[in-house]
Amino acid sequence: MVQVKEFAVEQWMDKYEHSAKYNIAETCCASISLKDLQELSEDKSLSPLDLATKLTYGAIRGSERLRGTLANLYSVKTPTPLSSDHVLITPGAIQANFLLLYSLVGPGDHVICHYPTYQQLYSVPTSLGAEVSLWKSKENNGWKLDIDELKQMIRPNTKLIILNNPQNPTGAVIPQATLEEIVEIARSSSIFIHADEVYRPIFHSINPMEPDFPSSILSLGYDRTIATGSMSKAYSLAGIRVGWIASRDRSVIETCAAARHYTTISVSQLDDAIASYALDASCIHNLLKRNIQLAKTNLAILEKFIESYRWACEWVKPRAGTTAFVRFSKMGKPVNDVAFCEMLLDRTGVMFVPGSQCFGEGEDFRGYVRIGVVQETHVLEEGLEALTKFMEDGYEEVPVVKKK
């Protein structure tokens, strides 16, 4: 029987997110309703749903409208446009990632995974029998990756390199030059590259004119590239459960489509229609403008808190996405982040995610917490106000990590 390691971050969210008073662990841009979505659209004649449509299974791979829209988005500034046949719609990015890994890797394969990252990206390949090496980004260098380390990690049986860009939980980006070097290394050994781009395009602290600004992995001229994404994070629509796999390699899409017949068959027609509406040219720009501005506003609020408590916390300021990874300490020693999160939640209702439990392997990320920064501004403000009171009266009781 396949043994899958417990999914720590999702278990934590499941346990606490609905009871927290101030959920500032949320990783989605502040959610919106269908009414909100319609107000963002520039074409008021369009409707998210056609109530006369019969509710069949719908298009098994996703509607032509949705797949075509996504293909066009991936074709911007690329020498070779992507066709809709290179896109497969899935119930959220979490199934897109699982389906891709299930279809691509197995016993005898070696996988290299960008780290820290969403646990699914390294625990699932391990459960499928692959050997996984963690390619650790360096906090003391802005969470950047070392290309020389990647070269040393490549083996004859390396099948897949997994990236997370923008990165969860740090909010770092893999710069364009680094992406290009990764592609050349992969190309030389015919290795697949999978980039989980679920937080793209929430670029709040880097603009497209900067040389580091990263393009999608699909735009770099290498056939064996795969991107996954969803409507949940950047597009504020986690409730419709729509994600996708897009690849320059058509055979990847076919393999995933064949495997998907054993699971969900198709995505709800209603979800597909709402996603298509949100990504339409009449709506997408206002939606992203709203979310990027929200990210900028909230990040400034969080930064002000961190600057006020430099004696207790530090970070590498995120450049993109919806999360920040903040280290709390006492007298130079990392706090017990699990105990800190539990005490904070119990006494104030403020919810964080503990880094060592939910993102760390071994003793990694002791003292770190993941904070979501793109929820409703008032939630962040009120949560940080409650945290401020705890820092003044309660933080002294938080235990530090004991040396073994």
Side-chain angles (χ1 to χ4, degrees), residues 16 19-24 305 339-352 379-395 398:
Y16 295 118
S19 60
K21 186 176 182 181
Y22 307 109
N23 180 3
I24 50 178
F305 169 85
F340 174 43
C341 289
E342 290 175 341
M343 290 173 66
L344 187 63
L345 187 65
D346 180 61
R347 298 189 187 185
T348 70
V350 172
M351 180 180 173
F352 288 157
V379 175
L380 181 65
E381 289 177 324
E382 292 167 14
L384 291 180
E385 183 179 347
L387 174 60
T388 296
K389 293 177 181 177
F390 179 84
M391 297 299 292
E392 303 300 333
D393 183 18
Y395 189 67
V398 177

Side-chain angles (χ1 to χ4, degrees), residues 57-368:
Y57 282 108
I60 300 301
R61 298 188 179 205
S63 70
E64 178 62 32
R65 179 187 177 192
L66 180 54
R67 291 186 297 116
T69 298
L70 288 165
N72 288 337
L73 291 174
Y74 283 115
S75 297
V76 174
K77 296 183 179 179
T78 58
T80 307
L82 197 72
S83 75
S84 60
D85 289 337
H86 288 247
V87 180
L88 180 68
I89 306 303
T90 63
I94 195 163
Q95 208 226 19
N97 289 338
F98 186 91
L99 193 61
L100 176 67
L101 295 168
Y102 175 83
S103 300
L104 270 191
V105 302
D109 290 329
H110 176 235
V111 173
I112 298 170
C113 186
H114 183 192
Y115 177 84
T117 192
Y118 194 50
Q119 183 187 331
Q120 180 194 34
L121 297 177
Y122 54 86
S123 286
V124 169
T126 300
S127 75
L128 295 170
E131 185 176 356
V132 178
S133 298
L134 300 177
W135 185 21
K136 298 184 178 183
S137 53
K138 307 293 190 296
E139 182 184 17
N140 60 8
N141 192 24
W143 295 110
K144 290 184 179 178
L145 292 162
D146 186 329
I147 285 293
D148 288 333
E149 284 187 8
L150 176 62
K151 292 176 181 177
Q152 294 168 11
M153 295 171 81
I154 300 294
R155 305 177 188 173
N157 65 331
T158 301
K159 181 77 172 289
L160 178 66
I161 298 170
I162 301 174
L163 308 174
N164 184 200
N165 197 26
Q167 185 184 32
N168 174 18
T170 69
V173 299
I174 304 173
Q176 183 70 10
T178 303
L179 283 176
E180 292 171 358
E181 289 183 283
I182 294 169
V183 164
E184 289 311 306
I185 291 168
R187 192 198 306 271
S188 67
S189 298
S190 297
I191 298 168
F192 286 102
I193 304 174
H194 165 213
D196 180 332
E197 297 179 347
V198 74
Y199 293 99
R200 183 180 181 87
I202 302 300
F203 295 106
H204 48 69
S205 301
I206 181 173
N207 69 67
M209 302 307 294
E210 294 181 51
D212 280 355
F213 189 87
S215 61
S216 170
I217 197 68
L218 298 185
S219 68
L220 297 177
Y222 179 44
D223 286 346
R224 292 195 155 202
T225 50
I226 306 138
T228 52
S230 87
M231 299 301 297
S232 300
K233 309 301 183 182
Y235 300 101
S236 302
L237 292 167
I240 65 170
R241 309 309 303 133
V242 170
W244 55 83
I245 304 168
S247 180
R248 286 284 170 190
D249 187 334
R250 175 72 181 276
S251 69
V252 169
I253 299 299
E254 296 304 315
T255 301
C256 290
R260 210 267 298 272
H261 289 313
Y262 284 100
T263 57
T264 57
I265 301 179
S266 64
V267 169
S268 159
Q269 280 187 291
L270 303 180
D271 293 350
D272 187 305
I274 295 168
S276 299
Y277 179 91
L279 296 178
D280 186 85
S282 65
C283 192
I284 186 174
H285 304 294
N286 285 342
L287 178 56
L288 289 177
K289 181 180 178 181
R290 175 249 192 197
N291 288 350
I292 291 171
Q293 185 55 56
L294 188 60
K296 290 179 177 181
T297 298
N298 289 4
L299 192 65
I301 293 168
L302 179 59
E303 184 172 26
K304 184 177 179 180
F305 169 85
I306 290 174
E307 290 301 321
S308 298
Y309 287 90
R310 278 292 181 183
W311 57 268
C313 56
E314 58 185 322
W315 68 345
V316 174
K317 184 179 177 180
R319 305 183 78 185
T322 69
T323 61
F325 211 33
V326 181
R327 182 181 184 268
F328 283 80
S329 61
K330 293 169 66 175
M331 303 297 290
K333 297 179 180 179
V335 301
N336 180 321
D337 49 284
V338 176
F340 174 43
C341 289
E342 290 175 341
M343 290 173 66
L344 187 63
L345 187 65
D346 180 61
R347 298 189 187 185
T348 70
V350 172
M351 180 180 173
F352 288 157
V353 170
S356 66
Q357 178 169 314
C358 297
F359 292 96
E361 292 292 296
E363 298 183 359
D364 293 340
F365 310 127
R366 295 178 299 176
Y368 288 81

